[in-house]
Amino acid sequence: GAPLQVGAYFIGDLQHPSLTFHACQQAPHSLPLLLQALQRGYTLNGTPYVSLRGCPTWAAERVLDPALRSLRRAGAKVEVVVATGVGGSDTRVGGHKHKSHTKGRELEGLVQWLLEESAEVDAAAAAVRPLYTTGWGDTRHFGSFLVRLAPL
């Protein structure tokens, strides 16, 4: 779907990505522990979110579908925000921290592809919409997705 400004889908309580990375490294063979490593909560407007910020790509591949499945509801197309990091380049927030956890948007690209291929996501064309914030000179910085899940 078309990109959408973050606005009320803003996540104000994200932990540092290194905490998720460390938790994933401690439990690489345990799906329940990997799922516990993900940060979850609600955006400003009450939309549930799941954050993969800090997840190594191998962990993101294992946990994304099970995490989404846990949010699906019978007869309802639930919307959820999936956070992957701050996309793009923004010197004001310290490019080193950003790049050390997102590998130059590698995680964001992988998660977008996984979402588009997932049976957990509604099959409609606009079910996955990139979210962005606006920086200097109206530069868009991507790093999360608004996702409409398929009903159970």
Side-chain angles (χ1 to χ4, degrees), residues 35-124:
L35 286 167
Q36 286 178 11
L38 301 180
Q39 188 179 354
R40 298 168 187 253
Y42 296 91
T43 65
L44 289 179
N45 67 3
T47 301
Y49 78 81
V50 59
S51 174
L52 280 77
R53 286 172 17 112
C55 277
T57 53
W58 59 264
E61 290 180 38
R62 290 192 62 200
V63 300
L64 183 60
D65 273 351
L68 295 177
R69 193 172 305 119
S70 72
L71 295 166
R72 289 175 62 191
R73 299 293 172 253
K77 293 184 179 182
V78 175
E79 285 191 327
V80 60
V81 172
V82 177
T84 60
V86 288
S89 166
D90 188 342
T91 56
R92 296 173 301 140
V93 297
H96 171 70
K97 281 186 194 172
H98 154 64
K99 288 181 182 170
S100 68
H101 294 288
T102 63
K103 294 184 181 178
R105 297 180 69 182
E106 180 181 341
L107 179 63
E108 182 184 343
L110 171 67
V111 169
Q112 183 170 5
W113 179 77
L114 291 170
L115 288 169
E116 290 170 352
E117 299 295 317
S118 176
E120 307 299 332
V121 175
D122 186 43

Side-chain angles (χ1 to χ4, degrees), residues 127-149:
V128 178
R129 297 184 68 184
L131 295 173
Y132 66 90
T133 56
T134 305
W136 292 107
D138 291 330
T139 303
R140 291 180 176 184
H141 301 282
F142 294 87
S144 21
F145 302 91
L146 179 61
V147 180
R148 188 174 53 249
L149 300 179

